[in-house]
Amino acid sequence: QVQLVESGGGLVQPGGSLRLSCRASGSTFRFDAMGWYRQPSGKQRELVAAVTRGGTTNYADSVKGRVTISRDSTKGPVYLQMNSLKPEDTAVYYCWSSLTGNNYWGQGTQVTVSS
């Protein structure tokens, strides 16, 4: 059973920064890929950023240059560092992992960007 637990969400002003963390049961390096999706209220869930076991990263165009995904070199968390946040970044952010063709999701953490 794979369990993913997110932390680090909250309320931040436009232009501010947040770092989200995702901890998994067992080593995060056993996953084929891990990443973050987000779902704004009333909209579909969308990819924010992902990283493969080999270290290849992928970012949504809307966050390129503002967001960095990273993973600990051991069994530590996967992080999403978000800078220069905008109101349109407001959403529930979900940690995601892929393992042998199966997808796993965390319960989500709310990020609200507002003055």
Side-chain angles (χ1 to χ4, degrees), residues 14 20 23 30 32 35 45 55 67-68 84 92 94 101 105-106 110 114:
L20 306 182
R23 292 188 178 272
R30 64 191 171 113
D32 302 314
R45 193 173 297 190
V67 167
T68 303
S84 302
V92 178
Y94 296 92
W105 299 92
Q110 176 70 44
S114 175

Side-chain angles (χ1 to χ4, degrees), residues 2 10 21 27 41 46 48 64 67 74 76 84 94-95 103 111:
V2 174
S21 299
S27 171
S41 180
E46 61 182 9
V48 178
K64 282 181 180 176
V67 167
T74 59
S84 302
Y94 296 92
C95 182
N103 292 315
V111 172

Side-chain angles (χ1 to χ4, degrees), residues 48-109:
V48 178
V51 58
T52 67
R53 185 189 295 114
T56 300
T57 56
N58 183 35
Y59 295 94
D61 288 342
S62 59
V63 302
K64 282 181 180 176
R66 301 188 296 120
V67 167
T68 303
I69 188 170
S70 61
R71 61 197 304 177
D72 198 283
S73 59
T74 59
K75 60 185 294 184
V78 171
Y79 300 104
L80 188 72
Q81 178 67 45
M82 302 189 292
N83 301 321
S84 302
L85 283 162
K86 305 174 182 180
E88 50 263 44
D89 294 316
T90 295
V92 178
Y93 284 69
Y94 296 92
C95 182
W96 161 82
S97 68
S98 175
L99 179 62
T100 59
N102 295 311
N103 292 315
Y104 301 92
W105 299 92
Q107 291 192 325
T109 185

Side-chain angles (χ1 to χ4, degrees), residues 24-40:
S25 51
S27 171
T28 57
F29 275 80
R30 64 191 171 113
F31 298 115
D32 302 314
M34 293 191 72
W36 293 88
Y37 281 71
R38 67 186 181 187
Q39 187 166 17

